[in-house]
Amino acid sequence: MEKPTMKQRLESLGTFIWDSENGKVLGRGGRSWVEISVFYLIYYACLASFFAATLAVFYETISDHEPKLQKDSSLLDGNPGLGFRPRVDLDNAKVSAKPVLGKNKDYKKDLDNFLKKYEKVGGSDCGAIVTTRRGEKEGCKVELDDLTTNCKPENDYGFADGKPCVLIKLNKVFGWEPELWKNANDAKFPVTWGLQYDPQIIPLRCYAKEKGDQDKLGDLAYYPQQGFPIKYYPFEGQRTYRAPLVFVQFQNITRGNTIEVECRAYAKNIEYDRTEMQGSIKFKVYVAK
């Protein structure tokens, strides 16, 4: 049997597309096209209706103001973690300072951009409020002037002086409120690590992960205070909410050494697990000679 020529193939294709003798398009007559069109119209209308009904039921179960899963039911298990800046390389949690003005541009830019997010929001001037603020519509304003009194952009946030400042943030968890100690004599208060009792503050402490590096780490200073004021809690979706910040400055770290640092926040309801990095954050600090 001879193979059809190219001309015959094209003629066959043309007849399939439009068969003038039988009045068919793509092998179907007018009645057939109407029937199949009505079928698919009904079929896809039913699918769309089912999808819309599913979305309607789903949105009835969630709120515009708060997450569906909270506290122990959330991915965070209601346990706030810590974050740090500057972080110019997500794969490498290391801060390297060059004690020369203008030689730390990437770190300065990262801190500048992060703090700009705090400049653009309002918030309440909470002043000396010393309690948590459940049910408030506005978050407390983070006073950047107090934060940057010693860690200033003019000296690359201390990097240019060989005294780098690292910004620590307690990550927000919806509805979480700190459970602090009643007094300094509470048996569970971590006084052995040199923390000062303050009923207004969630204490923060940074230290060398390896005990042998503690002397090399030198003295640390915390601005504006060594912890996070409880007036910023709880976070309940306030439009102007920004998590409180603390600058940790490494004032006389031994230069030429890379030191792994761990920072930890303390409260009765902040669970600490070094392997899972719960309630703490780790990073490395290096200051060039």
Side-chain angles (χ1 to χ4, degrees):
M1 184 177 180
E2 295 184 1
K3 292 184 179 181
T5 63
M6 180 60 68
K7 181 179 180 181
Q8 290 173 328
R9 291 179 178 178
L10 292 176
E11 289 177 351
S12 178
L13 176 62
T15 301
F16 173 72
I17 296 174
W18 168 239
D19 185 352
S20 57
E21 292 184 6
N22 300 306
K24 294 182 177 181
V25 177
L26 299 178
R28 291 181 178 273
R31 181 185 176 90
S32 178
W33 275 113
V34 171
E35 291 175 346
I36 196 171
S37 297
V38 171
F39 169 79
Y40 278 109
L41 180 63
I42 296 174
Y43 175 71
Y44 285 113
C46 291
L47 283 181
S49 299
F50 177 76
F51 181 68
T54 303
L55 283 180
V57 172
F58 173 73
Y59 280 114
E60 284 295 320
T61 65
I62 61 176
S63 170
D64 294 333
H65 308 291
E66 60 184 62
K68 181 178 177 62
L69 301 179
Q70 299 181 29
K71 297 183 179 179
D72 294 342
S73 299
S74 70
L75 293 177
L76 297 175
D77 294 325
N79 192 46
L82 292 173
F84 80 94
R85 292 296 181 113
R87 189 164 185 175
V88 298
D89 184 355
L90 295 179
D91 296 326
N92 185 13
K94 184 176 180 179
V95 176
S96 298
K98 297 178 180 179
V100 179
L101 188 63
K103 292 293 185 179
N104 306 277
K105 292 181 180 179
D106 290 342
Y107 293 105
K108 181 179 182 298
K109 181 179 179 181
D110 187 70
L111 285 170
D112 285 342
N113 292 338
F114 185 80
L115 292 176
K116 281 181 181 178
K117 299 176 183 178
Y118 280 72
E119 294 176 352
K120 295 179 180 179
V121 296
S124 300
D125 184 5
C126 297
I129 291 177
V130 297
T131 61
T132 56
R133 304 174 71 249
R134 178 167 290 281
E136 295 290 337
K137 295 182 179 180
E138 298 287 328
C140 287
K141 184 178 180 181
V142 176
E143 298 295 342
L144 295 182
D145 290 341
D146 295 339
L147 182 70
T148 58
T149 298
N150 293 280
C151 297
K152 304 177 181 180
E154 290 78 14
N155 68 341
D156 296 345
Y157 298 98
F159 280 67
D161 302 327
K163 302 177 181 180
C165 295
V166 176
L167 198 62
I168 306 296
K169 178 173 73 75
L170 186 63
N171 297 331
K172 58 188 180 183
V173 175
F174 191 95
W176 182 83
E177 290 185 78
E179 182 183 346
L180 300 183
W181 299 268
K182 294 181 179 179
N183 53 62
N185 296 321
D186 192 314
K188 295 184 179 180
F189 181 71
V191 67
T192 54
W193 294 305
L195 295 174
Q196 299 297 317
Y197 174 75
D198 188 333
Q200 308 171 25
I201 299 293
I202 302 169
L204 172 71
R205 173 176 170 258
C206 295
Y207 48 90
K209 183 182 175 184
E210 302 297 332
K211 292 183 179 180
D213 289 335
Q214 192 61 45
D215 290 339
K216 296 178 183 178
L217 189 63
D219 299 319
L220 306 183
Y222 301 83
Y223 308 110
Q225 68 282 308
Q226 192 176 347
F228 308 96
I230 61 175
K231 66 183 179 181
Y232 289 96
Y233 302 94
F235 165 65
E236 295 179 314
Q238 298 95 327
R239 180 181 57 84
T240 58
Y241 185 87
R242 290 293 184 271
L245 304 171
V246 175
F247 259 129
V248 179
Q249 185 173 37
F250 299 86
Q251 295 188 312
N252 51 3
I253 189 172
T254 302
R255 298 188 180 187
N257 289 269
T258 298
I259 301 175
E260 188 167 15
V261 177
E262 182 172 13
C263 292
R264 179 181 171 186
Y266 296 85
K268 287 185 177 181
N269 56 343
I270 295 181
E271 295 182 12
Y272 171 68
D273 188 324
R274 174 175 283 184
T275 58
E276 297 293 335
M277 291 307 298
Q278 292 187 16
S280 66
I281 189 69
K282 290 188 296 186
F283 54 90
K284 296 178 182 179
V285 180
Y286 172 83
V287 177
K289 294 183 178 180

